[in-house]
Amino acid sequence: MGAGALIHDAEIPNADRQRWLALAEKALAGASFEERLVARTDDDIRIEPLYDRSIIGEPLVRGNPRSPWIVSQRIDDPDVSRAKAQALEDVAQGATGLSLVFEGAPNAFGYGLPRTAKALETVLDGVPLNRVQVRIDTHPWSRPMADWLVAFLSKRRSDPAKLNLSFGIDPAAILAGTGRLRMSIEALQESMPQSLAHFFSMGVPGVLLEADGRVFHNAGATEAQELGIMLASAVSYLRMFEKARQPLVYAAPHIGFALSVDQDQFLSMAKVRALRRLWARAQEACSIPNSTASVHAETSFRMMTAADPETNILRTTIAGFAAAVGGADSISILPHTIVHGLPAGFARRVARNAQLIMANESHIGHVADPAYGSGAVEALTMELCQAAWTEFQRIEAEGGVLASLQDGHIQKRVQAASAQRNAAYQAGERAIVGTTLYPLQNERPVETLAAERRPAFTEGVAICEPLIPVRIDQSIGGAS
């Protein structure tokens, strides 16, 4: 008898929700349904075992849904010659984007390119800029770096209309990640619109200002906290341009977002999708046409482990998949050895190839919004939107994201969320594969590149308590 006949003749139970719930209660044999089958996120959002199919509005898609997302590779080696070779190899082997991470950046994790125009030009020499997105990762000197990049493009006689650029200017992420700004908040708010005006006049495409949530995530923020802070940063940009009487309709498309995705697949998918809804709602409130959010996703640093680092490959692959399915425009996967030092060629290749397989062999990007209509993902998306909007309103009531950081309000909430999460791991309510669950008795040697860690950024006028990236395994005593 064929498989088709077996399926046809089989008695398939009715999938009615109430009947399923009754069967579940019986199977639990008196145990608590709430305790056994309902999970909760760090934002106390219920995750039910069963959802009805749901359609809410239009699909949430990438800016260019006809093409795969951009496979972005980190270039963060302090040795410029080595970094240049890495960039050329990445592009030759299929990467379609480069994220230039400079020393002193909150996301450099102790390494990074030298902060010079020569380093930038050397790394990009020979890179086909008309085919590769170039991101300057959020950095205290992103503004002068933008000038260096524009000067380099002029020297190369590159057509700006054919380029995809991101300049990584985000005062909130810099203040949070380093605890310092090079000028006062008032001076920054007054000067930024004028200092960026000439970029609009030159017609340079891409993201000028970026709301970067990775700093907050890696310090322990919940998903809603990260989203709310990002939205508050983006709205602060709109407010700056409005104060300078710059048309918001032209400014909004030049505001981008960078967030973290982790091993919680469905929650990460929902987070990317929620960001798009939140940005659309903010633009609607400003009475400007909706421009699709430009979203860069990077796999979480806080979920990485020192013990059994190969398990990081599993975590980063799940996170990268979630970002792709959630609709990120560009994705960067952290190499699995990054917690041990500067990743060598093998770890970089694994990170790159994971995305290439998803894009070119699994064809994940062929569906505009794979989660559209999923009751579970749609419910998580909407719940995250509501929780993030509450966080956004809280930050606005505190005077905006920069004022809230300077007064320490955001830091207190992020630290409280981190402490609560770590307590759950210490109590055994959560586990980390390879660290608290199935740890190896003997660790294998890990290959990294020879590189000295770079000093932290110490200059500044505006000062606050910095949010330092801390891995979960460090916090619970699972690694050094």
Side-chain angles (χ1 to χ4, degrees), residues 109-125:
F109 309 129
Y111 299 102
L113 295 164
R115 193 186 73 234
T116 64
K118 182 178 180 182
L120 185 146
E121 294 184 6
T122 300
V123 167
L124 293 181
D125 184 36

Side-chain angles (χ1 to χ4, degrees), residues 205-440:
V207 173
L208 298 178
L209 300 169
E210 187 167 73
D212 192 343
R214 297 171 298 170
V215 172
F216 305 96
H217 169 91
N218 288 325
T222 69
E223 286 75 19
Q225 286 174 342
E226 182 183 359
L227 290 171
I229 295 167
M230 293 166 68
L231 186 62
S233 295
V235 169
S236 74
Y237 302 149
L238 292 177
R239 191 173 287 120
M240 289 180 194
F241 283 106
E242 185 177 44
K243 187 175 182 180
R245 298 184 179 179
Q246 299 281 345
L248 297 186
V249 67
Y250 298 123
H254 293 282
I255 296 174
F257 301 86
L259 51 67
S260 290
V261 284
D262 63 18
Q263 78 281 0
D264 193 322
Q265 175 185 323
F266 293 103
L267 198 54
S268 292
M269 289 164 52
K271 182 161 72 169
V272 178
R273 300 176 83 251
L275 176 59
R276 295 200 180 281
R277 287 198 187 280
L278 289 165
W279 183 227
R281 178 67 185 90
Q283 292 176 92
E284 179 186 354
C286 295
S287 300
I288 57 177
N290 179 25
S291 63
T292 303
S294 176
V295 180
H296 175 72
E298 182 176 78
T299 57
S300 166
F301 178 77
R302 81 182 186 202
M303 74 172 179
M304 304 293 271
T305 65
D308 199 1
E310 285 79 8
T311 61
N312 289 327
I313 300 174
L314 173 62
R315 283 183 276 272
T316 57
T317 301
I318 295 172
F321 174 84
V325 174
D329 297 283
S330 61
I331 302 172
S332 179
I333 288 181
L334 296 181
H336 67 280
T337 59
I338 196 167
V339 302
H340 287 275
L342 191 65
F346 174 72
R348 293 177 57 84
R349 186 166 68 250
V350 169
R352 182 184 65 233
N353 287 347
Q355 289 203 63
L356 295 176
I357 291 170
M358 283 188 271
N360 301 330
E361 297 186 22
S362 300
H363 304 295
I364 294 171
H366 282 203
V367 180
D369 183 5
Y372 185 60
S374 162
V377 177
E378 290 285 9
L380 273 176
T381 299
M382 296 308 297
E383 292 276 5
L384 274 179
C385 282
Q386 293 172 9
W389 193 264
T390 299
E391 176 67 15
F392 163 67
Q393 290 177 316
R394 185 179 294 121
I395 294 170
E396 289 292 285
E398 293 163 351
V401 63
L402 293 176
S404 181
L405 283 168
Q406 197 167 44
D407 293 337
H409 298 307
I410 289 175
Q411 292 92 323
K412 289 179 182 177
R413 291 195 290 273
V414 169
Q415 289 162 358
S418 180
Q420 185 174 355
R421 182 184 305 107
N422 294 338
Y425 279 101
Q426 290 169 339
E429 297 168 7
R430 296 190 185 187
I432 305 174
V433 173
T435 301
T436 62
L437 191 67
Y438 313 125
L440 292 177

Side-chain angles (χ1 to χ4, degrees), residues 74-80 83 99-105 107-115 119 139 342 451-455:
R74 284 170 60 96
I75 305 297
D76 57 356
D77 194 330
D79 185 319
V80 179
S99 291
L100 306 185
V101 183
F102 289 85
E103 60 181 337
N107 204 42
F109 309 129
Y111 299 102
L113 295 164
R115 193 186 73 234
H139 188 271
L342 191 65
E452 292 186 6
R453 291 191 176 273
R454 318 303 287 178

